[in-house]
Amino acid sequence: MSYVELAKQVAKEAGTMIKNRRESRFTIEEKGNAFDVVTELDKASESLIRKRILEAYPDHAFLGEEESFANHHSFVKSLAKADETPLLWIVDPIDGTSNYVQRIPGFTVSIALASKGEVIVGVVYDPSQDELFWAEKGKGAFVNGKELKVAGTEDVARSVIATGFPSTPLMREAVLKGIGELGPRCRTMRVLGSAALHLAYVAAGRLTAFWEYGLNAWDVAAGTLLITEAGGQVTDMAGNSYKVSTPHVVGSNGQIHRELLTHLHPIRLDV
C-alpha cells in the first residue's frame, strides 16, 4: 500500500472511532494549563494510528502529539533530526480537542509524512463532515476525490481569514495583536478551533488565509502540503519557507501573502 493510501485509510479509521465515541463518557485532563486539554480518545487515536503505520512500515520514525507531550526530550530530539530522518510520520490524533470535548464539529485527524524535513504526504480527515483531504508532493491536493484549488482573491479587504488561540499567554497576545491589525482590514474572520482544518479550508478556497503563533509540527505539517499542492503559499511570519520546526505559520492563497505579512509580526519563542 502506498504512503498516501495508508495515511488516508488510517485517518478514516481513527476519525470514525473518535466520532463514534464522541457521545460516550471519557476522561479529560489538562496538559500544562487550562487552555490545553487531552482526552483518553486522543491517546487511543494516536495508539491506533501508530500501530497501523508501524505495522506497515516498521523502519519509519513516528512523531505523535500525545507521545511527544509525555516525553518532551524525545520530541525535541525528533525535530532536531527531522532534516536527517529519511521518513518521519507526524501525527495529531485529534486536532481540535476542545471542540471534541464540547461536542462541537471541527475536530480532525492529521497525518503527514516528511522525508528529510520535507513534507511529501499530507492527510486531514474531518469525521463530522466525512471530508477526507489529501495531498502528495507534486501530485496535487484533493478532498473526497475532487481536486483542490486555493481562492483567487487578490487583496486582504476581500479575504476571509482565520486564526486560532494557542495554549500559552504569550502566543495568545500575539494572535490578539494580529486580530487587531487584520480585523478592520479583511472581509471577515473565523476561528474554527483546528489548525489542520483551517489549512485544509485554505487549500479548498473556503478561506483565503490562516495564521497562528505557537504551533507544533503535528498541527500543521499535513495542511501545509495541502495548501502548496493547491497552489497556495506557506511561510513563517517573516516570509521564510515553512519547515517542520516552524512554530509561527501563515498559509494563504499566495496572492495576498505579502500584504498579509505586513500586518503580522515575527516573535521569539524565548522572550
Side-chain angles (χ1 to χ4, degrees):
M1 184 181 297
S2 70
Y3 298 148
V4 70
E5 289 303 320
L6 175 64
K8 287 161 63 178
Q9 178 179 300
V10 174
K12 287 207 73 169
E13 183 180 0
T16 300
M17 179 192 71
I18 61 177
K19 180 182 178 182
N20 290 343
R21 295 184 61 182
R22 181 174 47 175
E23 300 302 326
S24 64
R25 296 184 64 180
F26 48 79
T27 58
I28 303 167
E29 303 172 34
E30 293 179 2
K31 287 186 176 180
N33 56 42
F35 301 151
D36 198 4
V37 296
V38 62
T39 74
E40 63 194 79
L41 273 303
D42 293 79
K43 298 172 184 178
S45 177
E46 182 165 306
S47 179
L48 184 155
I49 295 167
R50 180 187 179 92
K51 183 175 185 291
R52 296 286 187 265
I53 287 174
L54 295 185
E55 281 177 346
Y57 299 106
D59 57 332
H60 289 191
F62 187 93
L63 178 65
E65 177 179 9
E66 305 314 326
E67 180 181 341
S68 298
F69 179 79
N71 188 343
H72 183 70
H73 175 73
S74 175
F75 163 59
V76 172
K77 185 177 179 182
S78 294
L79 272 190
K81 291 189 172 182
D83 290 347
E84 306 169 13
T85 305
L87 291 164
L88 172 66
W89 293 90
I90 304 170
V91 171
D92 194 335
I94 305 180
D95 187 51
T97 299
S98 291
N99 282 346
Y100 187 74
V101 167
Q102 299 299 131
R103 292 168 172 79
I104 298 171
F107 53 90
T108 59
V109 176
S110 178
I111 301 175
L113 177 62
S115 175
K116 296 187 176 179
E118 181 181 33
V119 182
I120 59 172
V121 168
V123 172
V124 174
Y125 180 53
D126 175 2
S128 297
Q129 300 297 320
D130 192 26
E131 287 194 316
L132 183 67
F133 300 83
W134 76 88
E136 286 185 271
K137 183 71 177 178
K139 296 185 179 180
F142 304 85
V143 58
N144 292 354
K146 180 180 179 181
E147 189 167 9
L148 297 177
K149 186 176 181 181
V150 295
T153 313
E154 296 179 353
D155 53 53
V156 165
R158 293 173 175 81
S159 296
V160 180
I161 299 174
T163 189
F165 287 99
S167 60
T168 62
L170 174 64
M171 301 304 157
R172 286 195 170 196
E173 288 175 15
V175 164
L176 289 170
K177 186 175 181 180
I179 290 173
E181 289 279 330
L182 285 167
R185 293 177 170 86
C186 68
R187 174 165 288 169
T188 188
M189 301 192 73
R190 294 291 181 267
V191 180
L192 304 179
S194 164
L197 190 63
H198 282 133
L199 294 167
Y201 278 12
V202 173
R206 301 173 191 176
L207 296 170
T208 321
F210 163 74
W211 98 94
E212 190 176 339
Y213 295 88
L215 293 161
N216 288 298
W218 48 76
D219 299 310
V220 297
T224 62
L225 185 63
L226 291 172
I227 289 177
T228 56
E229 287 297 311
Q233 185 176 1
V234 183
T235 69
D236 65 11
M237 301 293 167
N240 300 307
S241 297
Y242 170 78
K243 299 188 295 184
V244 295
S245 58
T246 300
H248 314 316
V249 173
V250 185
S252 80
N253 67 343
Q255 297 189 60
I256 71 161
H257 207 87
R258 182 176 296 181
E259 182 185 359
L260 190 64
L261 289 176
T262 65
H263 302 296
L264 301 172
H265 309 282
I267 61 172
R268 290 167 53 193
L269 285 173
D270 58 348
V271 295

